Amino acid sequence: MIEEATVDAYDHSEQITGWVVALEHALDLPFDTMVLGVVATVVGVDVSRDESLLAVCRRGRTKQRVPLADLPLPTPAPRGAEWIEAYRAWTDGSW
C-alpha cells in the first residue's frame, strides 16, 4: 500500500498528496471514534502546515484536526482503515 500511495512521487509533498488521494478513495467516511474520551465523527483528511496528515473530526458544530498517525480507530474499523495503518508505518519508517 505504501508503494501504491507514493508511486511516482519525487518529494515528500508529492508523497503526501498520494496519501491523501489513496485515503480519499479507500477510507469509508464518515465514521465515529473516540477522541479525548468523547465520540467524534471523522469526516475527512487534511494536510498540516508541516505536511503531515490530519483527521478532520466533528462533534456537533465543532471541528478538530487530529494527527492521523495518532487517531484511535474504532472496533470494528471502517472499510479502508488498513490505509491508515500503512500511513502510520510509512511515517515511523517501520516498513
Side-chain angles (χ1 to χ4, degrees), residues 12-73:
H12 184 76
S13 294
E14 288 184 10
Q15 290 174 337
I16 290 297
T17 300
W19 280 111
V20 170
V21 170
L23 285 160
E24 286 177 346
H25 288 243
L27 195 57
D28 193 10
L29 294 172
F31 66 89
D32 290 341
T33 193
M34 296 291 286
V35 177
L36 297 174
V38 298
V39 175
T41 303
V42 178
V43 296
V45 176
D46 199 1
V47 180
S48 70
R49 289 185 182 148
D50 69 350
E51 294 189 327
S52 60
L53 295 185
L54 304 170
V56 180
C57 302
R58 184 181 68 220
R59 179 172 166 87
R61 294 196 295 193
T62 302
K63 282 188 179 177
Q64 179 73 37
R65 287 166 171 75
V66 175
L68 190 63
D70 299 331
L71 182 73
L73 291 174

Side-chain angles (χ1 to χ4, degrees), residues 1-19 21 90 95:
M1 282 186 239
I2 292 170
E3 290 178 7
E4 187 176 335
T6 59
V7 68
D8 295 330
Y10 295 104
D11 60 21
H12 184 76
S13 294
E14 288 184 10
Q15 290 174 337
I16 290 297
T17 300
W19 280 111
V21 170
W90 180 75
W95 64 285

